[in-house]
Amino acid sequence: MGQLSIYKKLLKHFGKQYWWPAESEFEVIVGAMLTQQSTWRNVEKAIVNLKRERLLTPKAIAQASVPELQKCVRPTGFYRQKARRLRDFARYLERKYNGKLELLFSKPVKDTRDELLSLDGIGPETADSILLYAGGKLIFPIDAYTKRVYERLGLAEGHYSELQKFFHYNLPRDLVVYKEMHALIVELAKDYCSKNKPLCGECPLREQCSFERRFINM
Ligand code: SF4
């Protein structure tokens, strides 16, 4: 089954997801950094805290104290590390780009990606989420959900860059499709394709997926 038909099936089943849920590009970045090893519900709590303390701009975070930031991001776990990384990122943005994200994103995608990857706490998944959802770049983030679902579907496997190439080759080069597809796969994995108890019988992709049959015959 082609990627476009998977996309259409998921879209029909779950509806549009309108990711990333944020009020600004900078909020997308903060969310992407905080969501590592955390649930989205806890990230939302941290975002609410940062908003309440008026700390959701590069300048405000750059000037905040680490304990102040720790208090806000505490619900997401690893809060000491995350508070420091957020402040370092905001300071970097202020120092190098005068806090202007549009300058960071004005370079060729590869250069911005390499730059993001050189910063503490930003790995490929976070960098690509930032590039897609904050920078509006055609780059597909691969997370553990995507890896699991696509391996089970028997469509793609391998390392991060191999999986990413699969999406880049097979998805229509359309920003809305990229944004929605990533969000839809997350929904599928959370609602149906869980790690230990996939609900294959009710899954919208069950006709295309042989995982259950392979699994039972193992
Ligand atoms: S049919 Fe089962 S294994 Fe395949 S994608 Fe759906 S939930 Fe996952």
Side-chain angles (χ1 to χ4, degrees):
M1 179 168 58
Q3 281 286 76
L4 192 56
S5 53
I6 290 182
Y7 172 68
K8 285 180 180 166
K9 276 208 164 194
L10 294 178
L11 192 62
K12 190 172 170 203
H13 186 83
F14 293 106
K16 270 195 152 194
Q17 301 299 303
Y18 301 104
W19 269 29
W20 189 287
E23 287 172 10
S24 68
E25 282 80 18
F26 186 65
E27 188 180 319
V28 172
I29 296 177
V30 171
M33 291 177 79
L34 293 179
T35 198
Q36 297 168 8
Q37 292 150 313
S38 179
T39 61
W40 185 250
R41 193 177 305 166
N42 287 331
V43 173
E44 281 176 332
K45 288 180 192 164
I47 298 278
V48 167
N49 293 343
L50 288 164
K51 278 186 184 161
R52 191 189 54 236
E53 301 301 322
R54 299 185 184 279
L55 285 174
L56 213 43
T57 65
K59 195 172 185 177
I61 290 189
Q63 291 174 349
S65 70
V66 170
E68 233 181 320
L69 293 172
Q70 283 179 0
K71 228 163 96 184
C72 293
V73 306
R74 199 180 180 110
T76 65
F78 300 94
Y79 63 95
R80 289 191 184 90
Q81 193 184 53
K82 287 180 180 174
R84 188 181 41 74
R85 285 174 173 174
L86 272 186
R87 197 178 68 161
D88 289 351
F89 177 76
R91 285 186 171 179
Y92 178 82
L93 207 54
E94 282 292 304
R95 196 173 58 246
K96 191 153 181 203
Y97 298 105
N98 200 20
K100 293 186 182 3
L101 280 175
E102 60 269 30
L103 295 180
L104 170 68
F105 293 129
S106 67
K107 297 192 273 187
V109 186
K110 190 189 171 309
D111 294 353
T112 310
R113 188 175 193 265
D114 287 345
E115 192 173 334
L116 288 170
L117 289 173
S118 74
L119 302 175
D120 186 29
I122 300 187
E125 183 190 331
T126 307
D128 293 340
S129 297
I130 290 171
L131 286 165
L132 176 63
Y133 290 105
K137 307 292 179 190
L138 273 173
I139 191 153
F140 200 85
I142 303 296
D143 59 8
Y145 293 136
T146 308
K147 196 169 160 46
R148 181 165 75 230
V149 169
Y150 273 73
E151 277 178 5
R152 286 177 174 178
L153 285 169
L155 287 176
E157 58 184 0
H159 296 302
Y160 191 97
S161 59
E162 291 168 283
L163 280 158
Q164 188 174 56
K165 269 185 206 151
F166 172 82
F167 281 88
H168 288 175
Y169 285 137
N170 293 295
L171 262 188
R173 294 187 61 73
D174 180 298
L175 205 51
V176 174
V177 174
Y178 271 44
K179 287 180 175 181
E180 284 295 328
M181 184 67 159
H182 176 60
L184 289 164
I185 293 168
V186 171
E187 282 309 298
L188 180 83
K190 286 204 291 199
D191 290 359
Y192 296 97
C193 201
S194 68
K195 194 172 173 184
N196 297 320
K197 284 189 181 169
L199 303 173
C200 300
E202 300 154 40
C203 173
L205 301 182
R206 64 188 173 280
E207 285 159 22
Q208 290 75 33
C209 184
S210 61
F211 175 77
E212 193 180 35
R213 293 189 289 280
R214 281 184 277 133
F215 188 66
I216 289 168
N217 293 331
M218 260 162 57

